[in-house]
Amino acid sequence: MNIKLKLPNISLYVFGVYCILQSLIFTFFIENMAPQFFNTTPEGLEIVVLMHYGIAPAFLIMGLTGLFATTFELQSKRKVILAFIIGYIPLFVAFNYFIESEVINAGVETFIPDFICFILGLIAYLTSSK
């Protein structure tokens, strides 16, 4: 089978697994990780933890959508991939804000998996048959 035909599924599996892993990390490890990534007061850390608990289900939903979409027809797969691509654009704007903030210990290297997912999705979307 041609790699162009497999690429949408590969990108959907990557999106799905990555988002599900993030949801699990947010759910089970954010309390231990927050002090390493955020320079703030104990009250600020509490807000960070609560916000991550709140966003974890959204990442789970996105991950499951990516995994379930692997069984869709090609046009529907392309639409799901496009949704991920569009969603990454404002996320990259937020990353720029995060990197410049003194409150967050994050550099460009922190977001490498997201850049990889975006590029993979872009390639899969642009090379898959219309």
Side-chain angles (χ1 to χ4, degrees):
M1 184 177 260
N2 189 337
I3 189 69
K4 286 184 180 182
L5 297 176
K6 291 182 181 179
L7 204 49
N9 274 356
I10 292 169
S11 66
L12 289 169
Y13 279 119
V14 170
F15 287 146
V17 170
Y18 182 55
C19 287
I20 290 171
L21 285 175
Q22 282 183 308
S23 75
L24 294 173
I25 289 168
F26 292 165
T27 301
F28 297 111
F29 302 109
I30 192 60
E31 288 186 37
N32 295 327
M33 293 174 61
Q36 297 170 12
F37 290 103
F38 297 90
N39 300 318
T40 186
T41 64
E43 293 83 8
L45 288 175
E46 174 109 9
I47 292 169
V48 166
V49 169
L50 292 173
M51 294 296 290
H52 279 82
Y53 284 157
I55 202 166
F59 276 85
L60 181 61
I61 291 166
M62 290 185 305
L64 292 173
T65 300
L67 290 181
F68 293 162
T70 60
T71 62
F72 294 175
E73 295 294 323
L74 181 59
Q75 290 306 313
S76 297
K77 289 178 187 180
R78 292 184 82 237
K79 288 178 183 176
V80 173
I81 292 169
L82 181 61
F84 275 98
I85 291 168
I86 292 169
Y88 266 115
I89 294 168
L91 185 63
F92 291 148
V93 173
F95 287 167
N96 184 54
Y97 177 76
F98 292 164
I99 290 170
E100 294 177 5
S101 173
E102 293 179 10
V103 177
I104 299 175
N105 296 327
V108 174
E109 69 280 354
T110 308
F111 308 112
I112 289 174
D114 296 289
F115 294 128
I116 292 170
C117 285
F118 177 79
I119 292 168
L120 178 62
L122 198 59
I123 292 169
Y125 183 78
L126 294 174
T127 61
S128 60
S129 300
K130 294 183 180 180

